[in-house]
Amino acid sequence: MKPIYILKKLINFYYYFVGFGIGISFISLLYRFFVPKMINPHFLESETLYSSDSIKVTVTQLLYIAMLFIFFKAIELLTKSLSDLSEGNHFSSTVIKNFKNSGRLFIILSIVEISAKIFTNLFLESKFVFKLDTSIILFPIIGLFFLYLHEVFSKARTLQNENDLTI
């Protein structure tokens, strides 16, 4: 089996897994809104529990779901690109456009994650906390890598078009 087919299968599985996670998170948020209980919101390192009917907790949970949705959209664009790549359309406009948009989404995701972590701590705990973790470093790297792939594939497409004209 070619590596592109294995990659396509894995990313498709991951795509559906993240989509399922978004659905469960949203249902969980709705459930917690109607049946209040004490929870520990995402991004907090402390052991403090907050009432889930609090507007502050709801806003932080919505930020978390928004981050998952941005990540989901980036993965969705990659699955569309892998469909073309596995069919041999390496330099199609869809692949090039999706690499560019995926890169932008990963960079946006890193900015939203940093903002959400700072905002959550300021909003709920009234303290400024900035903790450097792997996702804050990894998402911009992935985003820049896809933006680089966009440039490489668009140049390759231009060269392929010029080559096709000379034959």
Side-chain angles (χ1 to χ4, degrees):
M1 204 177 223
K2 291 184 179 180
I4 190 73
Y5 293 112
I6 296 170
L7 181 64
K8 182 180 174 185
K9 297 283 185 197
L10 287 173
I11 289 183
N12 279 333
F13 171 76
Y14 191 65
Y15 170 73
Y16 291 116
F17 184 72
V18 170
F20 181 72
I22 290 172
I24 294 296
S25 295
F26 190 71
I27 290 169
S28 172
L29 178 67
L30 289 175
Y31 175 75
R32 283 185 254 166
F33 186 72
F34 292 113
V35 181
K37 63 179 186 176
M38 301 303 281
I39 62 168
N40 184 2
H42 298 284
F43 304 124
L44 291 181
E45 300 289 327
S46 70
E47 300 296 324
T48 308
L49 294 176
Y50 296 91
S51 174
S52 62
D53 64 345
S54 165
I55 190 70
K56 292 179 179 183
V57 173
T58 303
V59 168
T60 60
Q61 294 296 318
L62 286 174
L63 276 172
Y64 177 72
I65 291 173
M67 284 177 38
L68 280 176
F69 184 73
I70 293 170
F71 186 70
F72 181 74
K73 290 303 287 180
I75 298 298
E76 180 182 29
L77 292 173
L78 292 178
T79 59
K80 290 178 182 177
S81 295
L82 285 173
S83 295
D84 275 0
L85 289 172
S86 65
E87 294 170 3
N89 302 329
H90 300 296
F91 307 119
S92 70
S93 61
T94 304
V95 170
I96 294 169
K97 181 183 69 167
N98 287 345
F99 280 161
K100 180 181 180 181
N101 291 335
S102 289
R104 287 180 175 173
L105 284 174
F106 275 111
I107 290 172
I108 290 169
L109 179 62
S110 66
I111 293 168
V112 169
E113 182 180 10
I114 291 169
S115 303
K117 286 182 178 184
I118 292 171
F119 174 77
T120 301
N121 282 306
L122 278 175
F123 200 52
L124 291 177
E125 305 237 333
S126 299
K127 63 181 178 180
F128 179 79
V129 176
F130 180 76
K131 184 176 180 187
L132 194 62
D133 61 1
T134 55
S135 62
I136 290 175
I137 297 170
L138 188 63
F139 287 149
I141 290 172
I142 292 171
L144 291 172
F145 179 73
F146 280 116
L147 288 176
Y148 176 73
L149 282 179
H150 162 261
E151 290 179 18
V152 169
F153 275 56
S154 60
K155 285 181 184 177
R157 182 178 182 193
T158 303
L159 289 174
Q160 183 185 35
N161 289 339
E162 288 176 6
N163 193 22
D164 289 344
L165 290 175
T166 57
I167 294 178

